[in-house]
Amino acid sequence: MAKNPFMSAYLSSWNKMANTARGQMTAAVKAEQKKAGKQMMDAWFDAFTPTTGKKTTKKKSTGKRTAAKRRTAR
């Protein structure tokens, strides 16, 4: 049986496309696994780490007070 060059070209291009799709799928799965593992570790660390209890500080206004602001502040 003789080789068919058109079939060979078709199968070669199909294999190239399939391998590219498989590589992209593998990369996506690995990224999701890494993300899920990080989220799980963060959740465990947050569960066993006590809160710091920091007080929030009020920001001071740096703008000048106008006459309208002085009237409403009284």
Side-chain angles (χ1 to χ4, degrees), residues 26-46:
T26 302
V29 167
K30 285 182 179 181
E32 284 296 319
Q33 286 177 339
K34 184 177 180 180
K35 182 179 170 185
K38 185 179 179 335
Q39 287 177 344
M40 181 187 65
M41 290 304 293
D42 288 344
W44 277 103
F45 278 120
D46 290 344

PDB file of all heavy atoms in Angstrom, residues 26-46:
ATOM      1  N   THR A  26      -3.346  21.406  30.336  1.00  0.00           N
ATOM      2  CA  THR A  26      -2.489  21.016  31.457  1.00  0.00           C
ATOM      3  C   THR A  26      -2.036  22.239  32.244  1.00  0.00           C
ATOM      4  O   THR A  26      -2.039  22.232  33.479  1.00  0.00           O
ATOM      5  CB  THR A  26      -1.273  20.234  30.938  1.00  0.00           C
ATOM      6  OG1 THR A  26      -1.736  19.090  30.230  1.00  0.00           O
ATOM      7  CG2 THR A  26      -0.382  19.783  32.077  1.00  0.00           C
ATOM      8  N   ALA A  27      -1.665  23.302  31.536  1.00  0.00           N
ATOM      9  CA  ALA A  27      -1.238  24.534  32.204  1.00  0.00           C
ATOM     10  C   ALA A  27      -2.375  25.143  33.013  1.00  0.00           C
ATOM     11  O   ALA A  27      -2.169  25.626  34.131  1.00  0.00           O
ATOM     12  CB  ALA A  27      -0.721  25.534  31.176  1.00  0.00           C
ATOM     13  N   ALA A  28      -3.596  25.119  32.466  1.00  0.00           N
ATOM     14  CA  ALA A  28      -4.748  25.668  33.181  1.00  0.00           C
ATOM     15  C   ALA A  28      -5.051  24.861  34.440  1.00  0.00           C
ATOM     16  O   ALA A  28      -5.351  25.429  35.498  1.00  0.00           O
ATOM     17  CB  ALA A  28      -5.966  25.698  32.262  1.00  0.00           C
ATOM     18  N   VAL A  29      -4.963  23.547  34.355  1.00  0.00           N
ATOM     19  CA  VAL A  29      -5.235  22.693  35.511  1.00  0.00           C
ATOM     20  C   VAL A  29      -4.194  22.925  36.603  1.00  0.00           C
ATOM     21  O   VAL A  29      -4.528  23.037  37.787  1.00  0.00           O
ATOM     22  CB  VAL A  29      -5.290  21.205  35.089  1.00  0.00           C
ATOM     23  CG1 VAL A  29      -5.259  20.285  36.295  1.00  0.00           C
ATOM     24  CG2 VAL A  29      -6.524  20.945  34.256  1.00  0.00           C
ATOM     25  N   LYS A  30      -2.926  23.031  36.213  1.00  0.00           N
ATOM     26  CA  LYS A  30      -1.866  23.271  37.195  1.00  0.00           C
ATOM     27  C   LYS A  30      -2.046  24.620  37.876  1.00  0.00           C
ATOM     28  O   LYS A  30      -1.837  24.745  39.088  1.00  0.00           O
ATOM     29  CB  LYS A  30      -0.495  23.196  36.529  1.00  0.00           C
ATOM     30  CG  LYS A  30      -0.069  21.786  36.212  1.00  0.00           C
ATOM     31  CD  LYS A  30       1.328  21.756  35.607  1.00  0.00           C
ATOM     32  CE  LYS A  30       1.762  20.343  35.302  1.00  0.00           C
ATOM     33  NZ  LYS A  30       3.120  20.294  34.750  1.00  0.00           N
ATOM     34  N   ALA A  31      -2.450  25.650  37.111  1.00  0.00           N
ATOM     35  CA  ALA A  31      -2.673  26.975  37.699  1.00  0.00           C
ATOM     36  C   ALA A  31      -3.819  26.934  38.701  1.00  0.00           C
ATOM     37  O   ALA A  31      -3.745  27.543  39.778  1.00  0.00           O
ATOM     38  CB  ALA A  31      -2.952  27.991  36.600  1.00  0.00           C
ATOM     39  N   GLU A  32      -4.895  26.218  38.375  1.00  0.00           N
ATOM     40  CA  GLU A  32      -6.035  26.097  39.291  1.00  0.00           C
ATOM     41  C   GLU A  32      -5.655  25.343  40.559  1.00  0.00           C
ATOM     42  O   GLU A  32      -6.082  25.694  41.653  1.00  0.00           O
ATOM     43  CB  GLU A  32      -7.209  25.403  38.601  1.00  0.00           C
ATOM     44  CG  GLU A  32      -7.966  26.287  37.630  1.00  0.00           C
ATOM     45  CD  GLU A  32      -8.644  27.462  38.305  1.00  0.00           C
ATOM     46  OE1 GLU A  32      -9.215  27.298  39.397  1.00  0.00           O
ATOM     47  OE2 GLU A  32      -8.580  28.559  37.740  1.00  0.00           O
ATOM     48  N   GLN A  33      -4.840  24.298  40.412  1.00  0.00           N
ATOM     49  CA  GLN A  33      -4.410  23.544  41.583  1.00  0.00           C
ATOM     50  C   GLN A  33      -3.541  24.405  42.490  1.00  0.00           C
ATOM     51  O   GLN A  33      -3.671  24.351  43.714  1.00  0.00           O
ATOM     52  CB  GLN A  33      -3.640  22.296  41.159  1.00  0.00           C
ATOM     53  CG  GLN A  33      -4.509  21.203  40.598  1.00  0.00           C
ATOM     54  CD  GLN A  33      -3.700  20.005  40.118  1.00  0.00           C
ATOM     55  OE1 GLN A  33      -2.509  20.125  39.851  1.00  0.00           O
ATOM     56  NE2 GLN A  33      -4.345  18.861  39.998  1.00  0.00           N
ATOM     57  N   LYS A  34      -2.677  25.198  41.899  1.00  0.00           N
ATOM     58  CA  LYS A  34      -1.815  26.079  42.690  1.00  0.00           C
ATOM     59  C   LYS A  34      -2.653  27.120  43.429  1.00  0.00           C
ATOM     60  O   LYS A  34      -2.441  27.396  44.614  1.00  0.00           O
ATOM     61  CB  LYS A  34      -0.806  26.767  41.772  1.00  0.00           C
ATOM     62  CG  LYS A  34       0.199  27.615  42.485  1.00  0.00           C
ATOM     63  CD  LYS A  34       1.212  28.195  41.510  1.00  0.00           C
ATOM     64  CE  LYS A  34       2.224  29.057  42.243  1.00  0.00           C
ATOM     65  NZ  LYS A  34       3.213  29.624  41.321  1.00  0.00           N
ATOM     66  N   LYS A  35      -3.645  27.665  42.727  1.00  0.00           N
ATOM     67  CA  LYS A  35      -4.528  28.674  43.330  1.00  0.00           C
ATOM     68  C   LYS A  35      -5.338  28.060  44.481  1.00  0.00           C
ATOM     69  O   LYS A  35      -5.460  28.657  45.551  1.00  0.00           O
ATOM     70  CB  LYS A  35      -5.465  29.218  42.250  1.00  0.00           C
ATOM     71  CG  LYS A  35      -6.402  30.291  42.702  1.00  0.00           C
ATOM     72  CD  LYS A  35      -7.257  30.755  41.526  1.00  0.00           C
ATOM     73  CE  LYS A  35      -8.364  31.656  41.964  1.00  0.00           C
ATOM     74  NZ  LYS A  35      -9.255  32.022  40.855  1.00  0.00           N
ATOM     75  N   ALA A  36      -5.868  26.865  44.275  1.00  0.00           N
ATOM     76  CA  ALA A  36      -6.667  26.207  45.310  1.00  0.00           C
ATOM     77  C   ALA A  36      -5.803  25.859  46.523  1.00  0.00           C
ATOM     78  O   ALA A  36      -6.242  25.994  47.667  1.00  0.00           O
ATOM     79  CB  ALA A  36      -7.331  24.951  44.751  1.00  0.00           C
ATOM     80  N   GLY A  37      -4.576  25.416  46.283  1.00  0.00           N
ATOM     81  CA  GLY A  37      -3.676  25.097  47.392  1.00  0.00           C
ATOM     82  C   GLY A  37      -3.333  26.327  48.205  1.00  0.00           C
ATOM     83  O   GLY A  37      -3.280  26.276  49.443  1.00  0.00           O
ATOM     84  N   LYS A  38      -3.106  27.447  47.532  1.00  0.00           N
ATOM     85  CA  LYS A  38      -2.804  28.692  48.245  1.00  0.00           C
ATOM     86  C   LYS A  38      -4.005  29.144  49.066  1.00  0.00           C
ATOM     87  O   LYS A  38      -3.862  29.566  50.208  1.00  0.00           O
ATOM     88  CB  LYS A  38      -2.397  29.783  47.261  1.00  0.00           C
ATOM     89  CG  LYS A  38      -1.966  31.058  47.944  1.00  0.00           C
ATOM     90  CD  LYS A  38      -1.550  32.098  46.924  1.00  0.00           C
ATOM     91  CE  LYS A  38      -1.129  33.407  47.515  1.00  0.00           C
ATOM     92  NZ  LYS A  38      -1.623  33.792  48.785  1.00  0.00           N
ATOM     93  N   GLN A  39      -5.198  29.069  48.491  1.00  0.00           N
ATOM     94  CA  GLN A  39      -6.398  29.453  49.227  1.00  0.00           C
ATOM     95  C   GLN A  39      -6.599  28.563  50.456  1.00  0.00           C
ATOM     96  O   GLN A  39      -6.987  29.048  51.517  1.00  0.00           O
ATOM     97  CB  GLN A  39      -7.623  29.371  48.324  1.00  0.00           C
ATOM     98  CG  GLN A  39      -7.695  30.465  47.287  1.00  0.00           C
ATOM     99  CD  GLN A  39      -8.881  30.298  46.358  1.00  0.00           C
ATOM    100  OE1 GLN A  39      -9.490  29.237  46.286  1.00  0.00           O
ATOM    101  NE2 GLN A  39      -9.188  31.351  45.624  1.00  0.00           N
ATOM    102  N   MET A  40      -6.337  27.263  50.321  1.00  0.00           N
ATOM    103  CA  MET A  40      -6.494  26.348  51.449  1.00  0.00           C
ATOM    104  C   MET A  40      -5.495  26.683  52.554  1.00  0.00           C
ATOM    105  O   MET A  40      -5.858  26.742  53.731  1.00  0.00           O
ATOM    106  CB  MET A  40      -6.288  24.909  50.992  1.00  0.00           C
ATOM    107  CG  MET A  40      -6.456  23.899  52.110  1.00  0.00           C
ATOM    108  SD  MET A  40      -6.034  22.226  51.644  1.00  0.00           S
ATOM    109  CE  MET A  40      -4.302  22.376  51.317  1.00  0.00           C
ATOM    110  N   MET A  41      -4.237  26.927  52.194  1.00  0.00           N
ATOM    111  CA  MET A  41      -3.230  27.255  53.198  1.00  0.00           C
ATOM    112  C   MET A  41      -3.552  28.588  53.877  1.00  0.00           C
ATOM    113  O   MET A  41      -3.395  28.727  55.087  1.00  0.00           O
ATOM    114  CB  MET A  41      -1.843  27.301  52.561  1.00  0.00           C
ATOM    115  CG  MET A  41      -1.332  25.945  52.145  1.00  0.00           C
ATOM    116  SD  MET A  41      -1.276  24.739  53.480  1.00  0.00           S
ATOM    117  CE  MET A  41      -0.002  25.432  54.498  1.00  0.00           C
ATOM    118  N   ASP A  42      -4.010  29.569  53.110  1.00  0.00           N
ATOM    119  CA  ASP A  42      -4.397  30.851  53.703  1.00  0.00           C
ATOM    120  C   ASP A  42      -5.538  30.666  54.695  1.00  0.00           C
ATOM    121  O   ASP A  42      -5.552  31.283  55.767  1.00  0.00           O
ATOM    122  CB  ASP A  42      -4.800  31.847  52.611  1.00  0.00           C
ATOM    123  CG  ASP A  42      -3.611  32.349  51.816  1.00  0.00           C
ATOM    124  OD1 ASP A  42      -2.463  32.179  52.276  1.00  0.00           O
ATOM    125  OD2 ASP A  42      -3.840  32.921  50.726  1.00  0.00           O
ATOM    126  N   ALA A  43      -6.506  29.826  54.341  1.00  0.00           N
ATOM    127  CA  ALA A  43      -7.645  29.586  55.236  1.00  0.00           C
ATOM    128  C   ALA A  43      -7.187  28.932  56.537  1.00  0.00           C
ATOM    129  O   ALA A  43      -7.635  29.328  57.621  1.00  0.00           O
ATOM    130  CB  ALA A  43      -8.686  28.713  54.538  1.00  0.00           C
ATOM    131  N   TRP A  44      -6.286  27.955  56.458  1.00  0.00           N
ATOM    132  CA  TRP A  44      -5.796  27.291  57.670  1.00  0.00           C
ATOM    133  C   TRP A  44      -4.970  28.240  58.518  1.00  0.00           C
ATOM    134  O   TRP A  44      -5.098  28.262  59.744  1.00  0.00           O
ATOM    135  CB  TRP A  44      -4.973  26.060  57.311  1.00  0.00           C
ATOM    136  CG  TRP A  44      -5.839  24.867  57.048  1.00  0.00           C
ATOM    137  CD1 TRP A  44      -6.169  24.345  55.834  1.00  0.00           C
ATOM    138  CD2 TRP A  44      -6.511  24.060  58.017  1.00  0.00           C
ATOM    139  NE1 TRP A  44      -6.997  23.271  55.990  1.00  0.00           N
ATOM    140  CE2 TRP A  44      -7.218  23.066  57.325  1.00  0.00           C
ATOM    141  CE3 TRP A  44      -6.575  24.087  59.398  1.00  0.00           C
ATOM    142  CZ2 TRP A  44      -7.987  22.111  57.965  1.00  0.00           C
ATOM    143  CZ3 TRP A  44      -7.338  23.124  60.041  1.00  0.00           C
ATOM    144  CH2 TRP A  44      -8.033  22.156  59.332  1.00  0.00           C
ATOM    145  N   PHE A  45      -4.099  29.030  57.889  1.00  0.00           N
ATOM    146  CA  PHE A  45      -3.290  29.974  58.656  1.00  0.00           C
ATOM    147  C   PHE A  45      -4.167  31.029  59.319  1.00  0.00           C
ATOM    148  O   PHE A  45      -3.942  31.410  60.469  1.00  0.00           O
ATOM    149  CB  PHE A  45      -2.229  30.644  57.785  1.00  0.00           C
ATOM    150  CG  PHE A  45      -1.002  29.810  57.599  1.00  0.00           C
ATOM    151  CD1 PHE A  45      -0.603  29.426  56.337  1.00  0.00           C
ATOM    152  CD2 PHE A  45      -0.238  29.411  58.685  1.00  0.00           C
ATOM    153  CE1 PHE A  45       0.524  28.652  56.159  1.00  0.00           C
ATOM    154  CE2 PHE A  45       0.893  28.635  58.519  1.00  0.00           C
ATOM    155  CZ  PHE A  45       1.278  28.256  57.245  1.00  0.00           C
ATOM    156  N   ASP A  46      -5.186  31.511  58.605  1.00  0.00           N
ATOM    157  CA  ASP A  46      -6.091  32.497  59.195  1.00  0.00           C
ATOM    158  C   ASP A  46      -6.884  31.906  60.353  1.00  0.00           C
ATOM    159  O   ASP A  46      -7.191  32.595  61.322  1.00  0.00           O
ATOM    160  CB  ASP A  46      -7.048  33.043  58.128  1.00  0.00           C
ATOM    161  CG  ASP A  46      -6.343  33.926  57.121  1.00  0.00           C
ATOM    162  OD1 ASP A  46      -5.203  34.371  57.401  1.00  0.00           O
ATOM    163  OD2 ASP A  46      -6.926  34.180  56.046  1.00  0.00           O
TER     164      ASP A  46
END
